[in-house]
Structure formats: C-alpha cells, structure tokens
C-alpha cells in the first residue's frame, strides 16, 4: 500500500514544527507508520543552505534557489519517495511552496522558481499555517534571536502574501495559526482524516 505525503508550510514561528510533531504522534497512535522530515535537509546540500541562511556564506538569491531545488530533489529521491512507497505517511516541515514564497518575495520571478522545482512531485496535502509576521517574530523572539530574514518584517509581509497567492495556485489548505496550538491541530487532523 502506498503511503501519503503531507507538507506543512508557513512563516518561521507559525507553529509548523510543533504541529508536525503533534500530527505524527496522533497518526502513530492510530497505527500508521510515520516519517517526519524537514527542509532544508541535513544532507550535504542542506548544510550549505543552512550556512547561507545563518549569514556564514553569501550567495546570490538565484544560487540559493537552485540549491534549495537540488536539496529537494535529493530529499524526494532518498527520503520521501522510499518512505511513501513503503506505505508510510511522510510529514515535511517545509517543501517547495517555501521556495516559491521566500524566493519570489526576495525578487526572483515566480515562474522561474516554479520551473526549477517542477521535478519535485506535489504532496497529497499541502497545509499553510497562516500567521501575521508580527506574531511569528514575537514567537521566535521568545525562544531565540531572530536571523536577518526573520527580523525583516517587510520581507515577512511579502512572504506571507506570496504564500497566500501560492495557496490558491496549488489548492493548499489555509489554517489560521493565530490560535491555541490544540485548535490548530484539531483543524489539521480533520484535513488529514479527509485525505486518509
């Protein structure tokens, strides 16, 4: 039996990571095999991306976009596809909508970013956890220092608008993340129940 591929998208601080963990626990209690993964990955390309995101490596935005696309294809081939084909439910914290939103918000043509990511298959379910940038930065600030992208509220507003446009294009489910964690999780579980 083929598994399912679900991805959670949103600004940093939207609650993607905790929602992924809660969803995985719930699915495991129901008897499903589950794999939780994230992008950028911990693989060799993902490590280069993380250096750039931390400001330790300066890259043109287009080069960064190509690295994300390469990391994603390796992620699909080595992690996501084998797990789905073995019957597992794969939950990814970020996937290609992140590239489309962040890189188009930083000035790259959306069509080009879509083109370099077209080999990455669409998930069975894409969920956008939507929060205002002010809320996401407050949440992050409580746990750690904001990086240069997270502290740029104007960029975060553009990313959020890009996400909302992309959500229509890809028929993503938009969940209001500006609510208690349990309420957000309950809505996500309903969406996943409909998929299963």
């Amino acid at each position: 039996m083929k598994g399912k591929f679900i991805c959670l998208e949103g600004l940093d601080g939207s609650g993607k990571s905790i929602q992924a963990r809660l969803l995985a626990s719930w699915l495991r209690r129901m008897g499903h095999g589950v794999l939780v993964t994230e992008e950028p990955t911990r693989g060799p390309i993902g490590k280069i991306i993380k250096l750039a995101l931390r400001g330790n490596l300066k890259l043109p935005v287009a080069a960064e976009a190509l690295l994300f696309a390469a990391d994603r294809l390796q992620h699909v081939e080595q992690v996501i596809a084998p797990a789905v084909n073995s019957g597992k439910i794969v939950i990814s914290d970020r996937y290609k909508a992140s590239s489309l939103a962040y890189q188009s918000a930083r000035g790259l043509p959306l069509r080009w970013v879509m083109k370099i990511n077209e080999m990455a298959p669409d998930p069975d379910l894409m969920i956008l956890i939507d929060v205002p940038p002010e809320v996401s930065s407050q949440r992050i600030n409580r746990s750690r220092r904001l990086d240069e992208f997270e502290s740029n509220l104007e960029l975060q507003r553009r990313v959020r608008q890009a996400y909302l446009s992309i959500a229509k294009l890809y028929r993503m489910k938009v969940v209001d993340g500006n609510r208690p964690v349990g309420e957000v999780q309950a809505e996500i579980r309903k969406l996943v129940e409909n998929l299963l």
Side-chain angles (χ1 to χ4, degrees):
M1 182 187 103
K2 194 168 179 272
K4 298 289 183 192
F5 177 29
I6 299 165
C7 73
L8 300 180
E9 296 281 2
L11 298 175
D12 286 322
S14 62
K16 297 177 316 307
S17 302
I18 190 152
Q19 293 299 337
R21 286 194 302 273
L22 291 170
L23 180 60
S25 296
W26 174 69
L27 287 166
R28 286 183 184 119
R29 285 194 305 272
M30 291 174 49
H32 295 284
V34 180
L35 172 70
V36 179
T37 187
E38 66 183 0
E39 290 190 358
T41 69
R42 293 188 174 104
I45 304 168
K47 286 177 183 168
I48 295 168
I49 294 167
K50 288 174 185 174
L51 284 173
L53 295 178
R54 289 186 203 114
N56 299 330
L57 175 66
K58 290 287 178 209
L59 291 173
V61 179
E64 194 179 286
L66 290 165
L67 284 170
F68 270 105
D71 187 45
R72 183 162 299 123
L73 290 178
Q74 186 174 27
H75 192 204
V76 168
E77 186 173 307
Q78 294 180 355
V79 178
I80 297 169
V84 169
N85 291 336
S86 74
K88 287 186 177 162
I89 297 173
V90 176
I91 303 167
S92 186
D93 178 344
R94 296 203 180 283
Y95 189 60
K96 67 180 169 183
S98 286
S99 286
L100 302 179
Y102 278 87
Q103 287 147 7
S104 67
R106 290 174 64 211
L108 293 180
L110 179 62
R111 290 176 66 98
W112 182 76
V113 183
M114 290 169 79
K115 184 79 179 153
I116 64 171
N117 281 282
E118 71 183 7
M119 294 296 291
D122 288 340
D124 297 296
L125 176 63
M126 290 194 280
I127 299 170
L128 171 61
I129 302 173
D130 181 45
V131 294
E134 296 77 11
V135 170
S136 70
S137 63
Q138 282 170 3
R139 288 178 180 175
I140 296 165
N141 228 354
R142 280 187 230 133
S143 60
R144 61 178 167 80
R145 233 176 92 238
L146 298 172
D147 70 24
E148 83 179 80
F149 296 119
E150 294 161 344
S151 60
N152 182 339
L153 276 182
E154 187 47 47
L155 172 63
Q156 295 302 315
R157 286 186 191 102
R158 290 196 310 269
V159 171
R160 182 185 185 208
Q161 285 312 307
Y163 260 132
L164 292 169
S165 299
I166 291 157
K168 291 177 186 150
L169 216 69
Y170 282 89
R171 295 190 181 95
M172 292 172 75
K173 305 296 182 189
V174 180
V175 172
D176 178 3
N178 199 14
R179 297 177 293 166
V181 170
E183 285 181 31
V184 176
Q185 180 64 198
E187 187 173 345
I188 289 172
R189 287 179 186 180
K190 281 183 193 156
L191 295 170
V192 172
E193 276 177 337
N194 293 339
L195 172 69
L196 304 176

